Amino acid sequence: MRKKMSAPLELYCWKGEWGLPSVDSDCLTVLAYAKFAGAPLKVHKIANPWRSPTGSLPALKTSEDGSLSQPHKIIIHLRKQKYNADYDLSAKEGADTLAFISLLEEKLLPALIYAFWVDSKNYVEVTRRWYAENIPFPLNFYLPTRMHSHALDRLRLVRGDSGLEPGDEAEKELYRDAYECMTLLSQRLGTQKFFFGDFPSSLDAYVFGQLAPLLKVKLPNCKLQQHLKSLDNLCHYCSHILDLYFQNEASDGPARKAPTPREDGSDFDNEPHKRRNQFLSVLVALGAMVGYAFLTGIVSIQRSDPHNALHGRRAPQLAGDEVDDEDGE
């Protein structure tokens, strides 16, 4: 028996595109796990992380533990509420789940970050463009750049290499590990519906969250995508989960118009962070305008000699200097 909750949990996540319920891997992982475990969530699909209770996405608002971010923390909380997609797994299957999730984080995740955030063509034409077009003004001038920086930091952290730089050698190494990981996942899945039989588990949520964007997003540089599409059972696996659990939630529409604050039907004007978000938005806009003014030369800073200014004397002129003063000799 699942425990009844006094109020539905609220999940804030990135909105969807390309036939996905969300464009973000972490959000997809949490959404999938909640579906698999039968957790009754009230989902807010948004395009401004500052409208979430944690300032990041995904975020889960709870009555017991406040607000949580990061997929593993959200999944742990759902398990505490008796929404456990791994309830029927054996001890060996539980150990296999931990091993495969570690493999995903070590081998596949770095390549995905590289493909979406570091590869210049993919980043400029797809990733940055989507976020810039969907995040509301003026945050769309600031957040994509900050997210890009965080993605690079995350890549270096996962790889354990603070000096990692984009380039052909880094790409080959990352993609080689990802190819091996996807091939191993394909072999482990075989002809099964899910990794442990007929019912999905947390491992399925993590695998789906990482593979679905790679399968559905149209990338101009698609080496990693091509390898995934060569593994028919993994492609069918992702499509099966989308059709079975997200048939009415996937978004295929063009991403051209930034969402309004009430686009998802929820009243964000009553959120406790509204004043903070407004203040930060004004600061970002002001900073952008001041920076533009300095870069274009509208505003400049001129230095003067304080000694000469004090005594009312001009600084000595060098030969050839022009003096804009008709009374000067």
Side-chain angles (χ1 to χ4, degrees):
M1 293 287 293
R2 299 197 187 277
K3 185 171 88 174
K4 289 187 177 180
M5 304 180 65
S6 57
L9 296 167
E10 294 187 61
L11 178 68
Y12 296 77
C13 63
W14 286 102
K15 60 181 285 189
E17 186 65 40
W18 300 293
L20 298 169
S22 174
V23 299
D24 180 73
S25 288
D26 289 343
C27 294
L28 284 174
T29 297
V30 174
L31 286 169
Y33 183 88
K35 290 283 189 180
F36 299 162
L41 299 181
K42 181 180 180 181
V43 179
H44 302 280
K45 294 185 179 181
I46 58 179
N48 181 358
W50 287 2
R51 291 194 177 278
S52 85
T54 64
S56 61
L57 299 172
L60 183 72
K61 182 191 289 186
T62 73
S63 57
E64 300 88 354
D65 299 329
S67 298
L68 306 171
S69 58
Q70 301 180 5
H72 71 278
K73 292 181 180 179
I74 295 174
I75 289 174
I76 288 173
H77 180 82
L78 293 178
R79 285 174 176 166
K80 290 179 180 178
Q81 301 299 319
K82 309 303 181 186
Y83 298 103
N84 188 355
D86 296 342
Y87 182 79
D88 294 323
L89 297 185
S90 66
K92 182 182 182 305
E93 289 171 335
D96 287 346
T97 295
L98 295 177
F100 272 100
I101 290 176
S102 295
L103 181 69
L104 288 171
E105 293 179 351
E106 181 182 349
K107 300 294 186 181
L108 183 57
L109 177 60
L112 292 174
I113 295 175
Y114 188 95
F116 283 91
W117 291 97
V118 181
D119 183 288
S120 59
K121 196 171 183 65
N122 291 342
Y123 172 65
V124 171
E125 296 184 16
V126 178
T127 309
R128 186 178 66 182
R129 179 179 180 181
W130 189 90
Y131 285 104
E133 290 178 345
N134 285 274
I135 295 174
F137 176 85
L139 297 179
N140 58 341
F141 288 100
Y142 166 68
L143 285 181
T145 301
R146 191 183 75 162
M147 293 169 67
H148 180 252
S149 178
H150 285 183
L152 292 178
D153 291 341
R154 188 180 183 186
L155 177 58
R156 294 187 178 104
L157 179 63
V158 172
R159 294 290 296 173
D161 183 2
S162 60
L164 183 66
E165 297 294 338
D168 291 340
E169 290 303 318
E171 178 181 309
K172 288 179 182 179
E173 180 183 352
L174 291 169
Y175 284 7
R176 181 176 63 248
D177 289 345
Y179 295 160
E180 293 175 358
C181 180
M182 286 190 285
T183 301
L184 183 61
L185 289 172
S186 176
Q187 294 171 351
R188 178 65 180 80
L189 179 64
T191 59
Q192 300 179 110
K193 291 181 180 178
F194 302 101
F195 279 91
F196 297 114
D198 293 333
F199 300 98
S201 65
S202 61
L203 176 58
D204 295 285
Y206 278 97
V207 174
F208 171 77
Q210 296 199 17
L211 291 185
L214 184 61
L215 177 65
K216 303 294 286 185
V217 178
K218 297 175 176 61
L219 298 173
N221 279 347
C222 53
K223 297 176 184 177
L224 204 61
Q225 195 172 60
Q226 288 173 346
H227 184 78
L228 173 59
K229 290 183 176 181
S230 71
L231 303 171
D232 292 337
N233 62 338
L234 286 183
C235 296
H236 177 73
Y237 164 84
C238 292
S239 299
H240 174 66
I241 291 176
L242 285 171
D243 292 340
L244 189 61
Y245 293 97
F246 300 102
Q247 188 173 17
N248 298 322
E249 298 182 33
S251 173
D252 287 303
R256 290 293 178 269
K257 184 179 179 181
T260 62
R262 302 189 187 195
E263 183 175 347
D264 66 351
S266 58
D267 186 7
F268 283 112
D269 288 344
N270 294 326
E271 287 296 322
H273 300 282
K274 178 192 173 188
R275 191 173 298 277
R276 178 202 66 180
N277 296 337
Q278 290 175 334
F279 177 71
L280 291 174
S281 297
V282 171
L283 284 181
V284 171
L286 181 61
M289 288 187 290
V290 171
Y292 176 79
F294 275 107
L295 289 174
T296 57
I298 297 175
V299 176
S300 62
I301 299 176
Q302 295 181 347
R303 293 185 177 181
S304 62
D305 189 327
H307 178 75
N308 290 333
L310 181 64
H311 295 282
R313 295 198 301 266
R314 293 194 188 93
Q317 300 293 325
L318 297 178
D321 283 352
E322 293 185 2
V323 181
D324 187 15
D325 188 346
E326 292 180 357
D327 295 330
E329 291 294 326

